[in-house]
Amino acid sequence: MKAIVTVTLKSGVLDPQGKAIEGALASLGFSGIDSVRQGKIFEIEVEEADPARATAALSAMAEKLLANTVIENYRVELVPGRDA
Amino acid sequence: MKSAVVVFPGSNRDRDMIAAIEKVSGRAPLAVWYADPDMPPVDLIVIPGGFSYGDYLRSGAIAARAPIMRTIAERAAAGVPVLGICNGFQTLCEAGLLPGVLMRNASLRFVCREVHLRVETTGCAFTERYRKGEVIRCPVAHGDGNYRTDEETLAHLNDEDRVAFRYVDGSGARTASANPNGSIDDIAGILNRRRNVLGMMPHPENLIEPLHGGRDGRRLFEGILGRVAA
């Protein structure tokens, strides 16, 4: 099963990279941008076929490594694949 | 007195650290490769600077999950002093041995220069040879030195006298331009609750003899190495 884990900065955490991207977009003439926050996406293939168990395992991965929960939130999504 | 410098793939200040410890103590530390199955009993463990695992995922994140870190956590819990410099500080935070996290410098630039630090506490072996409030020089070289933590943890660090060093100007004043990375509360280094784990972004190992241009970092090593030798 394929899963997508999205890691984003918690609101209120300073994101200097997002700010720089925001400035670059403005310099390219894109207007009307309120803010840009940068995050990460992990595409993970797992052997587990049971959605609940897969979600639990992926959440544990996010808690232990993929996200630093001091500053980041994460979201786990299962992607229906060929064998679903 | 035996000390160990832990080497991860991508560590690059390990030799500076080994040279500094040998210079100060007269005895070369062990260089312990992160994958070595057993760390011998030592009186001081140092995680040096560098770019372990190329800073993949987050600085220090992968190194912090290496099995050797469990050993280091156990030794720290047993009272063995642990010093993390730069990437070592990032690794200690990622491993949960110190609170908070080191984010990208506010300037988004890698900063390689000399800064001034104010010694905020002398209540640990690392800083006992300094005077409280003393201003020392120290080099920094990092891209991710912007210390961040929540307000509650910050209050604990201050209330429990666990901020070891703050960035200041040459006169000891906290100013925006004296802070090289945007670190909250101008924090350059912190202690754990037990005061035997110190993490700091600056590199005291690079200012221990006149050829370095000064000796301001030397007393940190004299303090901790003298304590564990006693």
Side-chain angles (χ1 to χ4, degrees):
Chain A
M1 188 180 312
K2 184 174 170 180
I4 293 180
V5 179
T6 307
V7 175
T8 52
L9 282 173
K10 289 181 178 175
S11 62
V13 173
L14 185 74
D15 180 12
Q17 293 175 99
K19 280 278 173 216
I21 294 163
E22 190 181 320
L25 288 171
S27 74
L28 287 170
F30 291 102
S31 58
I33 296 170
D34 285 336
S35 76
V36 176
R37 309 277 286 168
Q38 182 176 304
K40 300 187 184 96
I41 287 182
F42 302 87
E43 295 179 345
I44 302 180
E45 297 274 356
V46 293
E47 290 175 0
E48 178 60 62
D50 177 70
R53 283 202 295 266
T55 301
L58 288 155
S59 297
M61 293 175 208
E63 287 279 341
K64 288 190 173 169
L65 178 62
L66 303 180
N68 182 330
T69 54
V70 175
I71 49 164
E72 292 169 328
N73 293 320
Y74 65 87
R75 188 172 70 244
V76 175
E77 295 165 272
L78 300 178
V79 181
R82 287 186 300 268
D83 52 3
Chain B
M1 198 288 302
K2 279 190 292 189
S3 48
V5 175
V6 182
V7 184
F8 288 99
S11 297
N12 66 8
R13 297 299 187 104
D14 44 314
R15 292 184 196 185
D16 299 34
M17 185 58 72
I18 288 165
I21 290 173
E22 183 167 11
K23 197 88 181 173
V24 173
S25 70
R27 184 165 177 182
L30 302 166
V32 179
W33 180 239
Y34 81 108
D36 286 352
D38 295 304
M39 169 137 47
V42 290
D43 307 299
L44 169 67
I45 299 169
V46 182
I47 308 178
F51 298 87
S52 57
Y53 298 90
D55 281 350
Y56 291 176
L57 189 61
R58 299 176 301 273
S59 301
I62 310 286
R65 274 75 180 176
I68 197 170
M69 289 304 298
R70 286 202 290 273
T71 306
I72 292 171
E74 288 165 12
R75 302 283 177 90
V80 174
V82 176
L83 172 63
I85 302 289
C86 200
N87 189 227
F89 184 15
Q90 295 160 346
T91 303
L92 289 172
C93 286
E94 279 283 346
L97 272 75
L98 291 171
V101 59
L102 291 139
M103 298 185 67
R104 183 64 47 90
N105 292 348
S107 65
L108 294 176
R109 291 201 176 95
F110 190 94
V111 177
C112 183
R113 66 173 168 100
E114 189 174 282
V115 299
H116 289 94
L117 302 177
R118 193 171 67 201
V119 180
E120 301 288 67
T121 180
T122 53
C124 68
F126 302 100
T127 57
E128 66 182 13
R129 303 264 175 124
Y130 295 99
R131 294 185 310 280
K132 186 174 167 70
E134 182 176 354
V135 177
I136 64 171
R137 295 161 49 214
C138 206
V140 294
H142 59 248
D144 295 334
N146 185 351
Y147 183 74
R148 293 278 137 186
T149 190
D150 58 43
E151 289 297 324
E152 188 185 346
T153 307
L154 183 61
H156 283 309
L157 290 174
N158 281 317
D159 295 347
E160 295 164 8
D161 193 31
R162 287 164 55 196
V163 177
F165 300 102
R166 278 198 171 84
Y167 301 108
V168 292
D169 67 15
S171 70
R174 288 169 57 184
T175 65
S177 62
N179 180 336
N181 51 41
S183 187
I184 193 167
D185 226 21
D186 300 323
I187 287 173
I190 56 167
L191 295 160
N192 67 338
R193 191 164 271 135
R194 188 171 175 160
R195 312 185 80 78
N196 67 323
V197 177
L198 169 67
M200 61 189 291
M201 289 310 297
H203 290 275
E205 76 276 19
N206 291 144
L207 207 65
I208 62 149
E209 56 183 317
L211 269 177
H212 290 156
R215 294 161 51 105
D216 285 13
R218 190 178 181 99
R219 277 176 286 159
L220 186 146
F221 295 97
E222 290 173 347
I224 191 65
L225 293 166
R227 177 74 76 91
V228 297

